[in-house]
Amino acid sequence: MKRILTGILFFIFSQIGYAQSWIDLTQASVNRRQADANEFKEIVTVLQEEIATRSGVLPKISSNFEGSSEASIYLILEKNITELPSALRAEVLRLPLPTREGFRLVASAEKNAVVVVGKDVRGVMYGVGRLLRKAEITKGRVRFPSDFRISTSPKYLVRGHQLGYRPKTNSYDAFTVAQYDQYIRELALFGANSIEILPPGTDDEPTSRHMKLATLDMVKEQARICQRYGLDVWMWYPNIGKDFTTPEKVKNELLARETVFKAVSKIDAIFVPGGDPGELEPDELFEWMDKVAVLLKKYHPKAKIWISPQSFKPTKAWFDSFFRHVNKGYPWLGGVVYGPWVKVPIDQIRKIVKPSIPIRNYPDITHSIASQYPEPDWDPAWAVTLGREAVNPRPKDQKFFHNIVAPYCIGSISYSEGTNDDVNKFVWSDQDWDPKTDVRETLKDYSRLFFDADLAMDGALGLSELETNIKGPILAANQIERTLMRWQKMEQSASKTLLANPRFQMGLIRAYFDAYVRERSIYETQLERQAYEILTSGEGNSQAKAQKAMEVLSKAWQEPVAVSLRERCLALADSLHRSIGAQLTVVKHGAMQGRGNFIDNLDYPLNDAPWLMRELKKVEKMDDTQAKQALARLLGRTYPGKGGIYDHFMNPTSRARVVPTKYNWNNDPESLQSSRIGYGMNLPKDYLESFPRMSTPVPAVPRAWTSQIEVLYDNVLKIKYDELEKGVQYKVKVVYSGRFKSNVRMMTSDGILIHDYIKLGEQPEYEFEVPAQAIKNGEVIFQWNCKEAERGLQVAEVSLIRAE
């Protein structure tokens, strides 16, 4: 037994020692062949500068390939591997040969060296990126794991992100040339090989108060930076407006494109969306692309045009015509792009489009609701505060979204509207490189490289916990307090440099924001309950009860909770504006409304106060009889009467009535063939009212109306009711409050009309008689659809009420 125990202890301690074995690279030289000096110039500069920035030590450059007792970092191409010292070459050759853009990275403690062998020049860059990601670089010290061995090649050909210099973004329009240079460099360190830029004159304002350069001048700089790092340049170029066939329109549009194509030094591909924005029919679209292709070839002979079936008016005829053109095989066609507002699922597109025509993904990684990949079943508190475009690290979700679509694509360039999705970019790049990559490794690399070497694990956990914070009901999310504690511990020990780091600030602001919103949610839920207790008590007349209930509700802003958390959020918002020009508020920071200004929503009401206050003010002005009746209606708003049924579809019991399809979030996260919870309001202006601590009006309607069961396009929503009383006449009350202004029809599944097409957005509440023959054996299935070429429909509430 003693011998066994001794052996176990020896193994444990030997493993601990092994895990802590490092090569000291603090004084290492960067060795590259003299013949590679020009090709490797930028790569060596990146390695030197990234080490020097973090350690204060600038590595020297050498052409010594004879071997040395001093620490060395070797950079070399596979074709020249015989020039490596023999011992190092032998270690490298034990690993499999990489393919295009791949590399072998080997650490040798015996030779005090780290070797990067790239299949090509890009492979060397990506090998250097991996070296920097895995190294521990702190002030005055650089070290690398002595046991590190890897041979890796990218699985997907296209790996990149869209960086649009335009006012609509929540930060990009404030970037300097130097900030774009650094950001593009960092994306390359995680394997990106493409950057998508935007020309002037897209669906946006021509300029903003944040811009440092005119749009075309910055676009030229972006292309130059990509050339510097050996990356491909894509350009998203939508067709704005209508009628691209008249001579005058064609002339003007071609002149605009020629100005851009001539000015930009490098374009490898143009991506033209079929819609979002754009309104051309396919015949007109492809005829127009013929003209654009001639002009593009004049300045960028090898560039191709990629095109997407995105459309806000997706008729079957439109898609049939689009894919018919795609399959003709135009000489300028690079391939098809799949992205938001593509109605046809990607597996079907792959079957429709000829196998020789590639598909590139264009995933929406930047939005949390009203998007391609919304947060599923989000607590409404998050929907109204974090909203559509907050800082949104979703590492596990992003891996899932990537891997469900990736098998049909040659890679992806993400749709991004700012730095809010920063973590998601790096997760997506790692997944494009290798979809088997554990996101925890990506987060550790991200934290090690961008925060601090000592924060690799805590930073990774902190970022992952921000994703966990917003899953499930907010009132049950007590992990939010622990997440904040982790970030506060990092904050307390952080250097001034780290505290000014925008990536660290983005993590901090979410941790504080989440904690503040939860504290408010708990508090305002309690206040609402107290208000209802007052209204339902037998004490006092209706007007007095209304006044007292309003006094309780007003404590939310008159006696606010968690004030210090709120103040920290505001301070961090200012810091992010200073560091990267992040625009988290409209007035102070110059954000566009609904584009990243989530700090404006810090105090968005989290209970029914807007609606209750409006109704209770009316009660105050009524006589006793009217007030009593009005109060009864308010308290009984969701009570459907004897034998009736009320449903709001955030409620799991109500959600269970929705007739399922074979698709759900696990196999259809885009909800192209399944229902989901939608958020957003599209109500007449008279439903909006000013509210304390809010800079814009809020809907003074029941909170239940802010979320709905939703289907997209021409999908049919079916909701089943059973256990109804036989022989009883029912009425159905429906609330339509969602963001789409579609024409919606309601029927039963066997074709009995409840109401014909209604244009939504003009009023929320409707009530209809249910024909007696619609209910059979105590059951009825209602179904809703919108007209073809509309974006979808949402139903907030359904009440079945026994007719009098």
Side-chain angles (χ1 to χ4, degrees):
M1 174 63 75
K2 184 177 180 181
R3 186 180 300 172
I4 294 172
L5 182 59
T6 301
I8 292 172
L9 291 173
F10 175 82
F11 175 78
I12 291 172
F13 286 115
S14 68
Q15 291 301 300
I16 292 172
Y18 182 72
Q20 293 179 339
S21 179
W22 301 91
I23 298 173
D24 189 344
L25 297 177
T26 307
Q27 300 300 322
S29 61
V30 178
N31 297 356
R32 47 89 180 115
R33 297 166 66 247
Q34 185 59 41
D36 293 331
N38 189 50
E39 275 196 304
F40 286 8
K41 179 182 177 182
E42 295 301 338
I43 298 173
V44 171
T45 298
V46 168
L47 183 56
Q48 285 183 299
E49 291 180 351
E50 295 301 315
I51 288 176
T53 297
R54 292 163 175 80
S55 69
V57 178
L58 182 68
K60 56 184 179 293
I61 304 173
S62 171
S63 298
N64 177 18
F65 270 65
E66 300 301 319
S68 170
S69 59
E70 295 181 354
S72 301
I73 299 171
Y74 291 90
L75 309 180
I76 195 167
L77 293 170
E78 283 285 351
K79 65 182 181 180
N80 301 318
I81 196 171
T82 56
E83 299 187 33
L84 274 177
S86 58
L88 291 176
R89 182 171 68 249
E91 291 197 46
V92 171
L93 290 174
R94 292 191 183 102
L95 297 174
L97 185 68
T99 58
R100 178 179 175 180
E101 299 188 9
F103 60 88
R104 293 190 271 200
L105 175 57
V106 173
S108 172
E110 182 182 351
K111 297 300 179 183
N112 206 23
V114 177
V115 185
V116 176
V117 184
K119 181 67 176 176
D120 43 37
V121 176
R122 276 186 179 174
V124 177
M125 170 64 93
Y126 299 135
V128 165
R130 195 65 60 95
L131 185 159
L132 289 168
R133 290 164 58 175
K134 299 300 181 183
E136 285 203 354
I137 310 174
T138 55
K139 199 68 176 176
R141 188 183 72 178
V142 183
R143 61 182 189 172
F144 194 80
S146 63
D147 61 340
F148 197 87
R149 308 279 191 282
I150 190 172
S151 176
T152 180
S153 304
K155 183 173 178 63
Y156 295 101
L157 182 65
V158 179
R159 308 177 304 280
H161 305 281
Q162 185 184 89
L163 305 179
Y165 186 68
R166 58 174 178 162
K168 188 176 290 183
T169 59
N170 57 49
S171 50
Y172 294 149
D173 59 335
F175 272 26
T176 63
V177 173
Q179 285 174 315
Y180 269 118
D181 189 296
Q182 185 64 28
Y183 202 55
I184 290 170
R185 171 191 288 194
E186 290 164 351
L187 291 171
L189 295 179
F190 276 71
N193 67 2
S194 303
I195 298 295
E196 190 164 81
I197 58 181
L198 276 64
T202 60
D203 59 329
D204 217 329
E205 297 298 323
T207 187
S208 82
R209 80 188 205 195
H210 310 289
M211 287 182 165
K212 308 300 188 291
L213 295 178
T215 304
L216 185 56
D217 290 337
M218 185 61 86
V219 168
K220 289 160 62 177
E221 291 293 330
Q222 288 176 308
R224 178 192 59 77
I225 293 165
C226 291
Q227 281 184 289
R228 177 186 178 188
Y229 296 120
L231 307 182
D232 290 345
V233 178
W234 288 63
M235 182 174 284
W236 181 79
Y237 214 130
N239 299 310
I240 305 300
K242 301 179 180 180
D243 191 6
F244 278 68
T245 58
T246 61
E248 187 68 19
K249 177 73 170 179
V250 168
K251 177 184 176 182
N252 291 338
E253 291 292 338
L254 287 177
L255 281 173
R257 282 158 180 75
E258 182 160 26
T259 299
V260 174
F261 295 163
K262 184 178 180 180
V264 177
S265 59
K266 176 180 171 65
I267 297 178
D268 296 286
I270 296 288
F271 162 32
V272 179
D276 192 15
E279 299 184 41
L280 303 186
E281 292 298 316
D283 289 350
E284 186 181 4
L285 175 62
F286 280 82
E287 182 181 348
W288 169 237
M289 287 300 99
D290 280 335
K291 296 180 176 68
V292 174
V294 172
L295 189 61
L296 179 63
K297 189 174 182 180
K298 176 181 176 182
Y299 295 99
H300 305 280
K302 296 182 180 180
K304 295 286 188 178
I305 298 176
W306 291 63
I307 199 160
S308 74
Q310 292 170 283
S311 176
F312 287 145
K313 298 178 179 179
T315 65
K316 183 178 185 302
W318 193 98
F319 282 107
D320 289 345
S321 178
F322 177 89
F323 289 120
R324 185 167 59 250
H325 277 286
V326 166
N327 283 328
K328 287 181 179 179
Y330 291 84
W332 48 260
L333 183 66
V336 174
V337 175
Y338 178 79
W341 295 111
V342 173
K343 175 183 176 180
V344 183
I346 194 167
D347 57 338
Q348 295 180 31
I349 293 177
R350 186 64 280 174
K351 293 175 182 177
I352 294 169
V353 172
K354 289 179 179 178
S356 60
I357 299 173
I359 300 173
R360 191 210 96 186
N361 199 5
Y362 179 47
D364 177 2
I365 68 171
T366 202
H367 296 132
S368 299
I369 53 174
S371 61
Q372 185 181 20
Y373 296 113
E375 277 281 357
D377 299 336
W378 226 11
D379 191 297
W382 300 124
V384 297
T385 55
L386 286 174
R388 188 169 187 248
E389 204 172 281
V391 174
N392 69 335
R394 299 174 66 188
K396 292 179 182 178
D397 281 354
Q398 297 302 326
K399 179 178 176 64
F400 170 61
F401 302 148
H402 176 278
N403 289 0
I404 203 169
V405 173
Y408 304 99
C409 304
I410 64 165
S412 67
I413 297 178
S414 73
Y415 164 40
S416 171
E417 289 188 343
T419 51
N420 64 297
D421 57 24
D422 185 70
V423 170
N424 301 339
K425 289 187 183 78
F426 292 92
V427 169
W428 205 277
S429 288
D430 256 7
Q431 295 302 306
D432 268 343
W433 187 280
D434 180 0
K436 295 180 182 178
T437 302
D438 189 328
V439 293
R440 290 173 295 185
E441 283 304 305
T442 303
L443 295 180
K444 283 194 287 186
D445 287 356
Y446 181 98
S447 301
R448 184 184 297 113
L449 186 61
F450 297 142
F451 292 171
D452 188 280
D454 295 332
L455 294 180
M457 181 58 75
D458 254 5
L461 289 170
L463 292 169
S464 181
E465 287 164 356
L466 293 177
E467 179 177 31
T468 305
N469 273 4
I470 55 176
K471 304 290 187 184
I474 190 171
L475 295 178
N478 54 15
Q479 79 278 356
I480 290 175
E481 297 170 9
R482 295 192 295 275
T483 300
L484 177 61
M485 186 177 295
R486 185 184 302 280
W487 281 96
Q488 286 177 324
K489 292 291 185 184
M490 290 190 284
E491 181 183 24
Q492 290 161 9
S493 61
S495 65
K496 290 183 179 179
T497 301
L498 184 58
L499 289 174
N501 180 326
R503 290 191 169 99
F504 190 67
Q505 291 170 348
M506 283 192 283
L508 277 177
I509 200 169
R510 263 294 310 279
Y512 278 103
F513 188 99
D514 293 358
Y516 178 63
V517 172
R518 183 166 188 268
E519 287 296 315
R520 284 187 52 235
S521 191
I522 293 170
Y523 181 48
E524 293 179 27
T525 299
Q526 292 171 340
L527 293 178
E528 182 181 294
R529 182 171 182 176
Q530 292 172 25
Y532 273 113
E533 287 175 351
I534 291 168
L535 295 173
T536 55
S537 72
E539 300 174 5
N541 60 29
S542 297
Q543 296 94 329
K545 288 191 286 187
Q547 185 178 29
K548 191 174 180 181
M550 286 191 288
E551 289 172 359
V552 169
L553 291 170
S554 66
K555 289 182 180 180
W557 53 91
Q558 292 178 352
E559 301 174 21
V561 294
V563 173
S564 62
L565 297 179
R566 182 180 189 273
E567 290 175 349
R568 191 70 185 112
C569 288
L570 295 174
L572 285 165
D574 290 341
S575 296
L576 276 162
H577 186 63
R578 288 192 296 270
S579 59
I580 52 170
Q583 299 137 40
L584 305 189
T585 66
V586 171
V587 175
K588 190 172 186 180
H589 302 129
M592 290 186 68
Q593 186 67 44
R595 296 289 179 176
N597 62 309
F598 68 100
I599 294 300
D600 281 334
N601 301 327
L602 262 174
D603 298 304
Y604 199 102
L606 300 179
N607 58 17
D608 257 327
W611 170 69
L612 284 171
M613 295 287 282
R614 186 188 67 173
E615 298 303 311
L616 292 174
K617 287 175 183 176
K618 296 176 186 177
V619 170
E620 272 192 312
K621 299 175 183 178
M622 296 176 180
D623 62 35
D624 290 343
T625 302
Q626 290 175 325
K628 188 174 183 179
Q629 292 171 345
L631 202 56
R633 287 193 299 271
L634 182 151
L635 294 171
R637 191 193 75 81
T638 61
Y639 177 61
K642 182 179 178 181
I645 299 171
Y646 165 81
D647 283 312
H648 172 243
F649 298 95
M650 277 299 297
N651 184 302
T653 302
S654 298
R655 186 73 176 272
R657 298 190 194 279
V658 179
V659 178
T661 67
K662 64 179 180 179
Y663 299 98
N664 53 49
W665 192 82
N666 291 318
N667 58 15
D668 181 30
E670 298 171 79
S671 295
L672 295 180
Q673 300 170 91
S674 57
S675 63
R676 67 187 187 190
I677 295 295
Y679 306 87
M681 305 287 281
N682 191 0
L683 298 172
K685 290 183 179 179
D686 57 351
Y687 285 88
L688 301 176
E689 292 189 4
S690 59
F691 198 80
R693 306 183 92 183
M694 291 297 297
S695 59
T696 56
V698 301
V701 298
R703 191 165 180 246
W705 293 9
T706 63
S707 61
Q708 312 87 21
I709 190 71
E710 171 182 274
V711 294
L712 301 178
Y713 309 118
D714 52 6
N715 286 306
V716 175
L717 172 66
K718 295 184 178 182
I719 299 178
K720 181 179 180 179
Y721 288 89
D722 53 16
E723 299 181 355
L724 301 178
E725 294 184 69
K726 296 179 182 179
V728 171
Q729 185 73 37
Y730 286 90
K731 295 183 295 184
V732 61
K733 182 187 290 185
V734 187
V735 174
Y736 299 117
S737 60
R739 62 196 179 102
F740 298 140
K741 292 185 177 181
S742 301
N743 291 278
V744 172
R745 179 176 63 183
M746 180 182 179
M747 307 176 68
T748 67
S749 59
D750 51 3
I752 298 173
L753 185 68
I754 304 299
H755 70 73
D756 211 338
Y757 288 107
I758 293 173
K759 177 73 171 177
L760 301 188
E762 296 175 1
Q763 72 177 68
E765 294 181 280
Y766 294 87
E767 189 172 294
F768 307 97
E769 298 289 337
V770 179
Q773 67 271 26
I775 301 174
K776 299 174 181 177
N777 298 318
E779 294 184 357
V780 62
I781 297 176
F782 295 121
Q783 65 179 45
W784 289 260
N785 69 281
C786 59
K787 291 182 177 179
E788 188 182 28
E790 294 188 312
R791 297 174 73 175
L793 64 91
Q794 299 98 358
V795 176
E797 293 179 327
V798 175
S799 297
L800 272 175
I801 305 166
R802 286 173 55 121
E804 295 295 334

